[in-house]
Amino acid sequence: MNAPQQFEEEKDDAIIGQAVKWSLLALSLIVLAGLTIFFVFTPNPKPVATVSTPLKLPEARAMPTLEIPAIPFKDITAQAGINFKHECGAYGDKLLPETMGGGCAFLDYDGDGDQDILLVNSCKWPWDRTSPAAPSDMPPAAGALFQNDGQGNFHDVSGQTGLKQAFYAQGVAVGDYDNDGDVDLYFSAVGTGHLYQNTGGQFVDVTEEAGVAGSPSDWGTSCGWLDYDNDGDLDLFVAHYVHWSKEFDLAQNFQLLGGGRAYGRPQVFPGVFPALYQNNGGKFTDVSAAAGLQVKNPATGVPVAKSLGVTFGDFDRDGWIDVVVANDTVQNMLFHNLKNGTFEEIAYPAGIAVDNSGNARGAMGIDSARFRNNEEVGIAIGNFANEMTALYVAKDTSLQFVDEAIANGIGPQTRLELTFGTLFCDLDLDGRLDLIAANGHLEEDIHKVQASQFYEQPPHIFWNCGSAFTTEFVPVPKEKCGDDFLKRMVGRGASIADIDADGDLDILFASAGGSPRLLRNEQKLGHHWLRVELQGTLSNKSAIGAEVSLSLGDNSRRFLTVMPTRSYLSQTELPLTFGLGPETTINEVVIRWPSGMVQTITRPAIDQTLKVIEQAAETAQMNK
């Protein structure tokens, strides 16, 4: 590029730069002028008044006053003539069966309308050479049958009724298996079981001919009668604990912290199958395998169950009875009746196999009931020390349960004790089912190892205060139930019955190695009641499995099932006790018999025992 041309280009650039500067200046002046005009001619906005609205807090919901009723119990064991001590056989080697205690039962063995008492006993071990020899005229330890005089006084009739036979018994089942009108007895045991046929108040051992002895290696625990196939006679279910022998037990060398032999842990012993015996006219067939009750560990193929408690119920209301089993340190089991002679084990999908964290607990006693007086059903299971009692609740018939123990108030109050016998019952006759528990540890020296634990423990009453409160179950304190009830004991089995015909329920607690406790209910709340006593015709004569519902004048409902197999190793009375509270009108009583028939009684009188015989098909509504 030559010099003149370069000069001209530089001159043009200078002129352009000068023009840009003047343009920016002019633009700035225009913007400034516009802003000045806007602020001068725009009126100032008027201030807006601010109004403060006071915050209205929600009103606290008025809660009803919670007043626990007085439900005093008096220990009348000695006064009533109950002289009995459980023999567990302990001599120092600490063998596991010695910890389990025995069951108890209320039953009307002589058909006179009142409730007698049966106490199950074990015995000394045949190899025990440490105890001094008993006099030759002294009978060995045996179970005892006490006859009720109708007023709550008892005398021992064991010898004269044929029951003075000693074996290492554990539990008892009460039911009329031959439909002759007399209740018969089956005893589970360490070793073979024993069936006693009632022949007019005399008991005859018919174990061998009936085919229910089982094996000498069995360890039977809770047992009960049920009509699982709906054929009108009672079949027999026997729970088994573990595969046990003295040699295996001693070889484990269980030790307490700080020294000394301890009782064994069930985790070490192999599991075993329960047994189901089908009644074929008084002869029984073991159908356990064919019925689907032999649950195996899928990894090892060994039996899963280590069963201590069992109860039966039609949990899905399909007319066929189901079986629920409380297992120790392994999953619980729920056998759903498939209506074809078989069961399906559904505890995991149903939600009752384990706790909310997925852990198996040390389950002992068990019961079930419609404790909310509606379609919901609860299953209560007593567990080991430092484990809460479970309360699995299904809202409908879908067999879907949720453990509501914490929300219901039972869980935190039962964590410390070791709970065995567990029962729903209306102790104050207010129309709501309460919960009782028999408690006691396994180790006599447990307090030396765990400061919070004691061998003897007080039983519990949990009063059902209803759903109007934040918790449904509250513990009944000493000033309301009395010193006699809360006295410590090594509790095991538990049972209930009205022993003195006053309408309320009395309690029997069995012990391990000690004496039982008979507690008379002395509540004076003025509540009304109805007792219902059933006799089947098409159904089994004991009416086991029949559901009774009441419709009251205040439109409330009550539900109970004839089911003596409850608690732990024990049986309750067959008649049902309904609390009515202040209500004086019963609109109707509806009975759903195991046969499928539905029978209705209208406007029965209150404060009485209503005796009902199953009607023939033409006078009752069929429900199948």
Side-chain angles (χ1 to χ4, degrees):
M1 181 182 297
N2 57 35
Q5 183 179 358
Q6 181 180 3
F7 174 75
E8 289 296 330
E9 290 180 356
E10 291 176 354
K11 181 179 178 182
D12 291 341
D13 290 341
I15 295 172
I16 292 171
Q18 194 71 19
V20 170
K21 290 179 181 179
W22 284 107
S23 298
L24 290 174
L25 178 60
L27 182 60
S28 300
L29 291 173
I30 292 170
V31 171
L32 180 61
L35 291 173
T36 302
I37 292 171
F38 174 79
F39 284 111
V40 169
F41 291 99
T42 299
N44 293 329
K46 296 180 180 180
V48 179
T50 302
V51 179
S52 298
T53 303
L55 179 64
K56 186 177 181 180
L57 297 174
E59 295 182 3
R61 183 164 64 98
M63 296 293 292
T65 303
L66 177 61
E67 183 176 351
I68 299 173
I71 320 173
F73 284 86
K74 181 178 180 180
D75 187 340
I76 61 167
T77 311
Q79 172 189 333
I82 305 299
N83 181 20
F84 177 87
K85 183 177 181 181
H86 178 259
E87 173 61 72
C88 67
Y91 62 92
D93 276 348
K94 288 197 169 183
L95 302 175
L96 184 57
E98 298 163 6
T99 67
M100 293 303 168
C104 57
F106 283 112
L107 71 162
D108 183 7
Y109 90 94
D110 51 5
D112 64 355
D114 54 39
Q115 297 301 310
D116 311 301
I117 287 176
L118 178 70
L119 293 165
V120 181
N121 210 349
S122 301
C123 62
K124 292 186 178 298
W125 297 112
W127 54 80
D128 175 16
R129 298 293 181 264
T130 64
S131 302
S136 58
D137 60 345
M138 180 178 290
L145 178 64
F146 294 89
Q147 186 179 44
N148 190 344
D149 68 355
Q151 305 299 316
N153 303 305
F154 298 84
H155 65 278
D156 191 337
V157 294
S158 310
Q160 67 195 60
T161 55
L163 285 180
K164 277 288 188 183
Q165 181 175 348
F167 49 92
Y168 206 101
Q170 294 275 266
V172 63
V174 177
D176 185 2
Y177 81 87
D178 53 4
N179 282 331
D180 67 349
D182 298 319
V183 290
D184 309 297
L185 303 175
Y186 176 85
F187 293 91
S188 62
V190 177
T192 56
H194 294 263
L195 176 61
Y196 287 89
Q197 185 181 36
N198 188 340
T199 58
Q202 293 292 311
F203 290 93
V204 179
D205 190 333
V206 295
T207 308
E208 293 302 324
E209 52 265 46
V212 293
S215 166
S217 63
D218 285 344
W219 179 353
T221 53
S222 292
C223 50
W225 300 101
L226 74 162
D227 186 3
Y228 84 97
D229 51 5
N230 280 352
D231 65 352
D233 57 27
L234 290 172
D235 312 297
L236 177 65
F237 185 98
V238 182
H240 294 129
Y241 189 29
V242 294
H243 185 71
W244 178 86
S245 69
K246 177 191 69 170
E247 293 74 19
F248 183 85
D249 197 333
L250 292 175
Q252 305 311 306
N253 194 28
F254 301 108
Q255 294 290 313
L256 284 170
L257 292 176
R261 177 166 167 81
Y263 282 108
R265 297 176 294 109
Q267 293 92 329
V268 176
F269 296 88
V272 287
F273 298 129
L276 177 62
Y277 296 97
Q278 185 182 44
N279 189 345
N280 300 300
K283 306 290 185 180
F284 292 82
T285 303
D286 187 340
V287 295
S288 313
L293 299 180
Q294 296 187 348
V295 179
K296 298 179 181 179
N297 185 315
T300 63
V302 302
V304 171
K306 299 180 180 182
S307 307
L308 288 175
V310 66
T311 191
F312 316 119
D314 182 7
F315 299 115
D316 56 355
R317 309 293 293 276
D318 66 352
W320 295 76
I321 205 157
D322 310 303
V323 179
V324 60
V325 177
N327 284 317
D328 190 5
T329 70
V330 297
Q331 66 161 90
N332 300 315
M333 293 176 179
L334 175 57
F335 293 101
H336 179 223
N337 195 326
L338 299 182
K339 311 178 189 179
N340 59 3
T342 68
F343 295 84
E344 179 185 13
E345 202 291 296
I346 60 167
Y348 268 108
I352 72 166
V354 291
D355 67 13
N356 290 335
S357 300
N359 299 314
R361 291 183 276 203
M364 311 291 180
I366 188 170
D367 196 9
S368 69
R370 301 189 187 279
F371 68 93
R372 288 179 177 149
N373 292 329
N374 57 22
E375 296 301 310
E376 300 180 33
V377 62
I379 298 174
I381 300 179
N383 292 309
F384 202 77
N386 301 313
E387 296 176 339
M388 295 182 293
T389 292
L391 182 56
Y392 299 104
V393 180
K395 300 297 183 183
D396 50 33
T397 60
S398 63
L399 297 176
Q400 295 296 306
F401 292 83
V402 175
D403 191 349
E404 297 185 3
I406 294 177
N408 278 322
I410 291 175
Q413 300 289 343
T414 57
R415 183 181 291 277
L416 198 60
E417 282 79 14
L418 199 166
T419 298
F420 281 87
T422 305
L423 284 173
F424 285 107
C425 49
D426 186 357
L427 296 177
D428 60 341
L429 301 177
D430 66 350
R432 296 185 298 268
L433 295 177
D434 312 304
L435 187 68
I436 63 173
N439 305 313
H441 213 282
L442 310 181
E443 288 283 356
E444 190 170 358
D445 296 327
I446 189 62
H447 185 62
K448 298 177 182 178
V449 180
Q450 299 180 39
S452 64
Q453 291 296 319
F454 295 87
Y455 186 48
E456 295 182 328
Q457 299 178 354
H460 282 149
I461 300 176
F462 291 98
W463 178 59
N464 185 343
C465 58
S467 57
F469 298 91
T470 54
T471 58
E472 287 181 82
F473 290 92
V474 293
V476 177
K478 180 174 66 174
E479 61 269 20
K480 296 292 186 177
C481 65
D483 291 330
D484 282 2
F485 182 88
L486 291 177
K487 183 180 178 182
R488 292 175 177 269
M489 67 180 299
V490 188
R492 292 296 185 262
S495 187
I496 49 171
D498 179 8
I499 63 170
D500 48 8
D502 63 354
D504 56 29
L505 289 169
D506 310 294
I507 300 174
L508 177 65
F509 288 127
S511 175
S515 299
R517 296 243 302 277
L518 180 60
L519 297 160
R520 186 173 63 204
N521 190 337
E522 299 196 329
Q523 62 83 28
K524 304 293 182 184
L525 298 170
H527 290 158
H528 298 293
W529 49 273
L530 178 73
R531 283 172 59 80
V532 179
E533 184 177 326
L534 303 181
Q535 179 181 314
T537 54
L538 294 178
S539 304
N540 68 88
K541 205 150 195 175
S542 298
I544 290 174
E547 183 189 82
V548 181
S549 62
L550 271 59
S551 172
L552 304 185
D554 60 0
N555 295 319
S556 64
R557 303 291 300 277
R558 307 282 190 272
F559 299 89
L560 288 175
T561 299
V562 179
M563 186 48 62
T565 303
R566 307 155 60 192
S567 179
Y568 167 77
L569 305 179
S570 300
Q571 303 274 289
T572 63
E573 65 172 347
L574 286 169
L576 304 175
T577 295
F578 290 90
L580 308 179
E583 184 55 50
T584 58
T585 302
I586 302 174
N587 293 330
E588 63 178 17
V589 177
V590 178
I591 304 162
R592 290 176 172 81
W593 296 90
S595 66
M597 290 198 298
V598 176
Q599 192 170 343
T600 301
I601 294 92
T602 58
R603 298 280 179 164
I606 62 171
D607 300 337
Q608 62 143 340
T609 296
L610 178 66
K611 298 183 179 181
V612 184
I613 298 175
E614 185 177 14
Q615 295 294 309
E618 61 268 21
T619 59
Q621 174 190 353
M622 295 298 291
N623 189 40
K624 276 193 176 179

